[in-house]
Amino acid sequence: MSEPTQAGAQREEIVLNMGPHHPSTHGVLRFVVHTDGEIMRKAVPEVGYLHRGLEKLAETQTYAGYMPFTDRVNYLEAMFAEQAYAMAVEALLATEVPPRAEFLRTIACELNRIANHHVTLGCITMDLGAYTPFVYLLREREGINDLIEALCGNRITHNYLRIGGVSYDVDDKWLGQLESYLNHFEPIIDELVALIVGNEILIKRMEDVAVISREDAVAWGLTGPNLRASGQDWDVRRDIPYGAYPQFEFDVPVGPLGRGQAGDCNQRFLVRVEEMRQSCRILRQCLAKLPEGDIKAKVPKMIKAPKGESYASVEGARGEMGCYLVSDGGKNPYRLKWRTGSFSAMSIIEHTSPGLMIADLVALVATLDVIAPECDR
Amino acid sequence: MKPVEIHAYLQQKLDKQIEWNEGEKSTGDPWAVIEADGWVDACLVTRDDDQLAFDFLRSLTGTDRPDDGKIEVVAHLWSYSRRHAFVLKTTVDRDAPVLASLTSIWPAAVWYEREIYDLLGIDFSGHPDLRRIMMPNDWVGHPLRKDYTEQADYRGIPTSRPGYATAVPEKVDE
């Protein structure tokens, strides 16, 4: 973008703090914006306000006792963190998870993905000035929260998964509720598309704005919808299969879709809309194929993982959610590290921001779907 | 390629012996250990070699090993084109932790190395912006070190409260 010139105008760099309490900063986070008029020279994210030391805390907990903490990595996609952690411990223990438990994990995760995208898409539109879709989407999210509450008793931080399986089984009544939710929700996606995806004002705010090339996205470690929007055909569920995913058919939406170019804000938005459809498709297949059997493998009460280390990753709603676990043979993890999509997405902002308008920073942050607690951990 | 094959290929490519480890029961992931002075060269080969082509730095982190007087740095690599993974490690001296930065190879390392610098105290030479990231700039100590003790107060604000649970709970006993 070329800088606007005006005869006799004074050029001066102003340093502007955006946040930590700004409505569009997705949690407590601050941008130090170096700006000349409306055009930014750069925006530097300052994070750490929500650093809760979840990695250090792991070193003081038993393996089973750390499970509720994983929910707090990101309150919007708690199931994915649970699954990444469970998979990392199971890899060290060489535990086989029963097929029914794998299906239940998939159901929980895909429901969680849809619920997360409700918030994401709602926040994107709200940050760009449209309040109504956010309220509609939160209403739909309540349906999922109710389902998950009936499943495990918790609405947000679920603590549903266990090492070796899941904590509660489902009955036919619950599966019926899930099916009626899907019957209700799938047409809503079309309604949503009609309401916001085709909205010219919204498209103008996102189309060709803050383009991230495929090369940049790979080099900076973007993952998930942000990476796919930039044109890299990649999905952990399909390409490094885990759990029950090899048994399902689903498409991986990759940019460019619709208007705009690969890697712009509109693509990051559209990829997420399409992902909700694919999640519904996976959930329908789960309903059709759900096997009978145990929901938890036999694991000792006091887990002691053998010396060694493992890295497990799942396709979270914000990209690759990875859990790196080191064991020294004791009762506590020796070291645990979370690799999250928001951390990488936050790190690319300084690189992408030069030349953008200040208002476009909001679009970039919203469509990258960075969320401060997941970044800070 | 499987990790074992990547290890053999890398040994041949770098023309030296590379330490190879796996867990006690061979569960989890195996890893290779490079000496610290060859860290950047080895990483550059893994990215640029056509057979390896590790273009994605999934994770870069560290583990404190006070018993050995070392801090491990571990990189989890992935190749989109070759579709394989590899775990590469190096160790630095715990009392004088300095390591060359990987930021010129994978820009993703910019924030990962800041985090390691902040929480484990490794000084990355050649890093463009080495500042604390999670803790305040004037914080004392590196929390992920095993012998870390939290400072009693920060700018006059006590970091613990009498009568309340401690910020970091005690280790779980038998």
Side-chain angles (χ1 to χ4, degrees):
Chain A
M1 202 178 283
S2 62
E3 291 196 15
T5 50
Q6 205 178 339
Q10 268 192 329
R11 313 301 308 259
E12 189 185 355
E13 182 174 292
I14 298 169
V15 178
L16 194 70
N17 273 301
M18 188 164 142
H21 295 290
H22 187 277
S24 72
T25 50
H26 294 235
V28 190
L29 110 100
R30 181 165 64 106
F31 293 96
V32 180
V33 181
H34 299 255
T35 170
D36 180 357
E38 277 294 311
I39 309 290
M40 288 192 294
R41 295 206 173 141
K42 67 176 174 180
V44 185
E46 293 290 338
V47 299
Y49 293 93
L50 292 167
H51 181 63
R52 290 146 294 158
L54 285 168
E55 294 176 5
K56 184 77 177 174
L57 272 167
E59 296 168 15
T60 67
Q61 301 293 320
T62 58
Y63 284 96
Y66 187 63
M67 188 57 88
F69 288 86
T70 61
D71 294 326
R72 275 79 185 169
V73 171
N74 183 349
Y75 59 96
L76 287 173
E77 43 173 331
M79 290 291 186
F80 298 104
E82 287 181 21
Q83 183 158 14
Y85 174 66
M87 279 166 58
V89 181
E90 285 153 10
L92 274 181
L93 295 172
T95 304
E96 286 269 333
V97 180
R100 188 175 174 87
E102 292 283 24
F103 268 69
L104 292 177
R105 284 178 177 189
T106 306
I107 291 177
C109 282
E110 293 306 322
L111 277 175
N112 203 171
R113 189 187 312 278
I114 298 174
N116 174 79
H117 284 358
H118 283 147
V119 178
T120 302
L121 299 177
C123 283
I124 294 174
T125 51
M126 190 170 68
D127 287 351
L128 298 179
Y131 193 80
T132 314
F134 180 66
V135 186
Y136 280 8
L137 284 160
L138 278 200
R139 183 190 66 190
E140 298 312 320
R141 179 167 175 258
E142 285 304 298
I144 293 181
N145 284 352
D146 290 345
L147 274 173
I148 293 183
E149 187 183 9
L151 179 67
C152 63
N154 297 312
R155 294 170 72 83
I156 305 290
T157 45
H158 313 111
N159 192 17
Y160 176 56
L161 268 62
R162 293 289 178 271
I163 292 157
V166 295
S167 55
Y168 296 102
D169 204 348
V170 295
D171 53 14
D172 289 343
K173 186 179 162 218
W174 191 85
L175 292 172
Q177 285 172 343
L178 173 58
E179 191 170 8
S180 49
Y181 180 79
L182 290 176
N183 292 340
H184 155 82
F185 177 64
E186 273 174 330
I188 301 251
I189 303 180
D190 296 327
E191 200 178 297
L192 174 80
V193 169
L195 179 67
I196 52 178
V197 174
N199 185 302
E200 191 64 23
I201 302 169
L202 192 69
I203 292 176
K204 286 283 183 216
R205 283 295 307 274
M206 300 197 294
E207 194 184 18
D208 299 332
V209 168
V211 179
I212 298 173
S213 68
R214 195 193 67 82
E215 290 72 23
D216 269 359
V218 170
W220 286 84
L222 286 195
T223 49
N226 298 331
L227 180 71
R228 289 192 280 278
S230 290
Q232 175 77 29
D233 187 2
W234 182 256
D235 190 313
V236 181
R237 291 175 293 175
R238 184 194 65 193
D239 297 317
I240 321 175
Y242 61 92
Y245 285 105
Q247 303 173 46
F248 304 129
E249 271 182 32
F250 58 98
D251 296 328
V252 177
V254 180
L257 310 156
R259 283 175 63 176
Q261 53 176 302
D264 71 2
C265 291
N266 200 32
Q267 297 306 319
R268 288 191 279 276
F269 184 83
L270 294 175
V271 162
R272 287 183 167 89
V273 174
E274 197 50 43
E275 271 185 16
M276 294 208 296
R277 285 191 215 275
Q278 298 304 326
S279 289
C280 289
R281 224 175 127 190
I282 295 171
L283 284 168
R284 292 241 183 239
Q285 294 174 54
C286 284
L287 283 171
K289 292 184 186 171
L290 184 66
E292 294 295 323
D294 291 337
I295 57 158
K296 194 163 177 289
K298 277 205 160 39
V299 290
K301 269 226 167 76
M302 179 55 82
I303 295 167
K304 283 186 181 174
K307 237 183 215 176
E309 57 177 66
S310 63
Y311 177 86
S313 65
V314 299
E315 181 70 33
R318 281 172 186 72
E320 183 175 331
M321 174 79 90
C323 180
Y324 168 62
L325 178 69
V326 182
S327 169
D328 63 348
K331 295 186 295 290
N332 320 94
Y334 185 77
R335 170 87 171 90
L336 188 137
K337 143 101 186 164
W338 290 103
R339 181 256 183 264
T340 59
S342 291
F343 188 83
S344 322
M346 203 83 88
S347 71
I348 202 174
I349 290 174
E350 186 177 343
H351 174 74
T352 311
S353 59
L356 292 182
M357 309 270 277
I358 296 174
D360 292 342
L361 176 64
V362 176
L364 173 65
V365 174
T367 54
L368 278 175
D369 196 14
V370 291
I371 183 152
E374 193 192 55
C375 175
D376 298 351
R377 308 181 299 284
Chain B
M1 279 193 275
K2 292 201 164 55
V4 184
E5 294 162 11
I6 296 174
H7 172 244
Y9 183 81
L10 201 59
Q11 284 201 120
Q12 177 213 332
K13 202 79 194 164
L14 295 172
D15 194 23
K16 62 179 173 191
Q17 285 293 311
I18 298 171
E19 191 188 325
W20 180 244
N21 287 297
E22 46 186 52
E24 186 188 0
K25 291 187 178 159
S26 303
T27 53
D29 306 323
W31 65 92
V33 185
I34 303 268
E35 277 142 36
D37 53 5
W39 177 239
V40 174
D41 294 337
C43 287
L44 195 61
V45 168
T46 63
R47 188 195 67 176
D48 289 344
D49 186 86
D50 190 45
Q51 294 293 311
L52 301 175
F54 285 112
D55 44 5
F56 174 30
L57 179 67
R58 284 168 121 179
S59 156
L60 183 69
T61 188
T63 309
D64 189 16
R65 301 275 187 191
D67 297 345
D68 308 336
K70 302 275 185 198
I71 298 176
E72 286 174 8
V73 174
V74 49
H76 289 87
L77 309 175
W78 180 264
S79 166
Y80 284 122
S81 52
R82 298 279 166 194
R83 296 183 174 233
H84 54 205
F86 197 58
V87 185
L88 205 56
K89 276 191 189 182
T90 188
T91 55
V92 295
D93 186 11
R94 206 164 174 276
D95 299 319
V98 182
L99 188 64
S101 167
L102 296 182
T103 44
S104 57
I105 304 176
W106 295 289
V110 172
W111 272 37
Y112 287 132
E113 286 178 353
R114 274 181 69 188
E115 193 183 12
I116 300 172
Y117 165 75
D118 185 359
L119 302 180
L120 284 156
I122 298 177
D123 199 352
F124 288 94
S125 54
H127 190 288
D129 186 25
L130 200 62
R131 298 178 284 133
R132 283 189 183 262
I133 184 165
M134 296 298 168
M135 312 303 285
N137 287 338
D138 52 354
W139 195 258
V140 180
H142 305 287
L144 278 179
R145 290 212 182 183
K146 294 289 177 183
D147 55 0
Y148 170 75
T149 44
E150 199 174 8
Q151 60 202 67
D153 66 285
Y154 173 68
R155 296 192 177 193
I157 308 164
T159 54
S160 58
R161 289 188 214 172
Y164 285 78
T166 49
V168 179
E170 298 294 313
K171 280 224 167 194
V172 179
D173 291 326
E174 288 285 348

